[in-house]
Amino acid sequence: MSEEKFQSPKIENIVASGSIADSIDLEMLSAKLENCDLNTKRFPGAVFRLQKPKIAVLIFSSGKVVITGARSHEDLLQGQEILIQTMKDAGVICHDTPDVAVTNMVCSYDLGKYINLNKVVITLNLENIEYEPEQFPGLVYRISDPKIVALLFSSGKIILTGGKTMENIERGVAFLEQMLGNI
């Protein structure tokens, strides 16, 4: 009996952004926090790095943040909690309920078989495909529903980006498997 099961896409990176405060004094923050770098000549925000979970947070004086590098929703939530507590400990007045939401997920998936990218282009001949092997070895496929961009490689490896939920990503994978199964 073969064990062919649907392999879940693997989360490589979750990006979330939103507002945690009305304003943040970046100079004060970078002076108080060890892993917080501020170089306004190069970037208009501070970069705060957490080791566990391993994520980076871009912090702006407007009170907005971008959290990146999380490899699970648990890591994202834990990182956000640590961020808020660290900000409060440093004297930042944070919102009671921070308004931070996932804006992008990057996932990888292995189809488990070779993909003939030239055949995909010829068979589908769709406007939402970009394939220039001289420029980039992957085929870029823009899925409209769910709104996801998939990079397909001849090895069978696929990178999916643009989803905001795992359900979006899994729907994108199911769509690709169905589409590629017909080729």
Side-chain angles (χ1 to χ4, degrees):
M1 190 166 159
S2 78
E3 289 217 11
E4 263 192 67
K5 290 186 208 167
F6 176 76
Q7 176 196 349
S8 293
K10 179 182 175 212
I11 297 172
E12 301 294 342
N13 184 20
I14 299 175
V15 179
S17 65
S19 178
I20 63 166
D22 288 332
S23 67
I24 299 174
D25 182 342
L26 297 180
E27 301 266 338
M28 176 275 296
L29 195 64
S30 65
K32 284 188 176 183
L33 301 181
E34 196 175 304
N35 296 330
C36 188
D37 299 319
L38 179 65
N39 183 346
T40 52
K41 288 188 175 97
R42 288 180 17 142
F43 185 71
V47 180
F48 179 54
R49 297 184 200 301
L50 294 175
Q51 292 309 309
K52 202 161 187 185
K54 192 170 175 72
I55 61 174
V57 183
L58 307 178
I59 306 170
F60 300 94
S61 60
S62 64
K64 294 193 181 330
V65 296
V66 177
I67 302 170
T68 185
R71 289 183 166 247
S72 70
H73 287 285
E74 295 78 21
D75 283 356
L76 178 64
L77 293 173
Q78 182 186 8
Q80 185 177 321
E81 286 175 17
I82 293 168
L83 169 68
I84 298 297
Q85 191 57 55
T86 304
M87 295 291 120
K88 288 179 178 177
D89 292 348
V92 175
I93 299 166
C94 296
H95 299 314
D96 290 336
T97 50
D99 180 24
V100 177
V102 173
T103 55
N104 183 28
M105 293 178 67
V106 178
C107 296
S108 60
Y109 182 75
D110 189 346
L111 197 57
K113 65 179 184 182
Y114 172 83
I115 304 171
N116 183 333
L117 299 177
N118 288 318
K119 194 172 180 183
V120 171
V121 172
I122 292 166
T123 306
L124 297 177
N125 192 21
L126 298 171
E127 291 175 14
N128 47 356
I129 289 179
E130 293 173 35
Y131 183 50
E132 296 182 41
E134 305 82 26
Q135 302 289 322
F136 180 69
L139 180 147
V140 179
Y141 187 85
R142 296 180 194 288
I143 303 170
S144 56
D145 184 28
K147 193 172 167 91
I148 288 177
V149 176
L151 304 175
L152 286 70
F153 297 91
S154 59
S155 65
K157 302 271 196 278
I158 301 172
I159 303 296
L160 300 112
T161 185
K164 292 184 170 56
T165 65
M166 225 25 224
E167 291 77 25
N168 286 153
I169 298 291
E170 287 169 353
R171 281 181 48 222
V173 166
F175 173 81
L176 288 170
E177 284 194 326
Q178 179 191 3
M179 179 203 56
L180 293 169
N182 297 330
I183 294 177

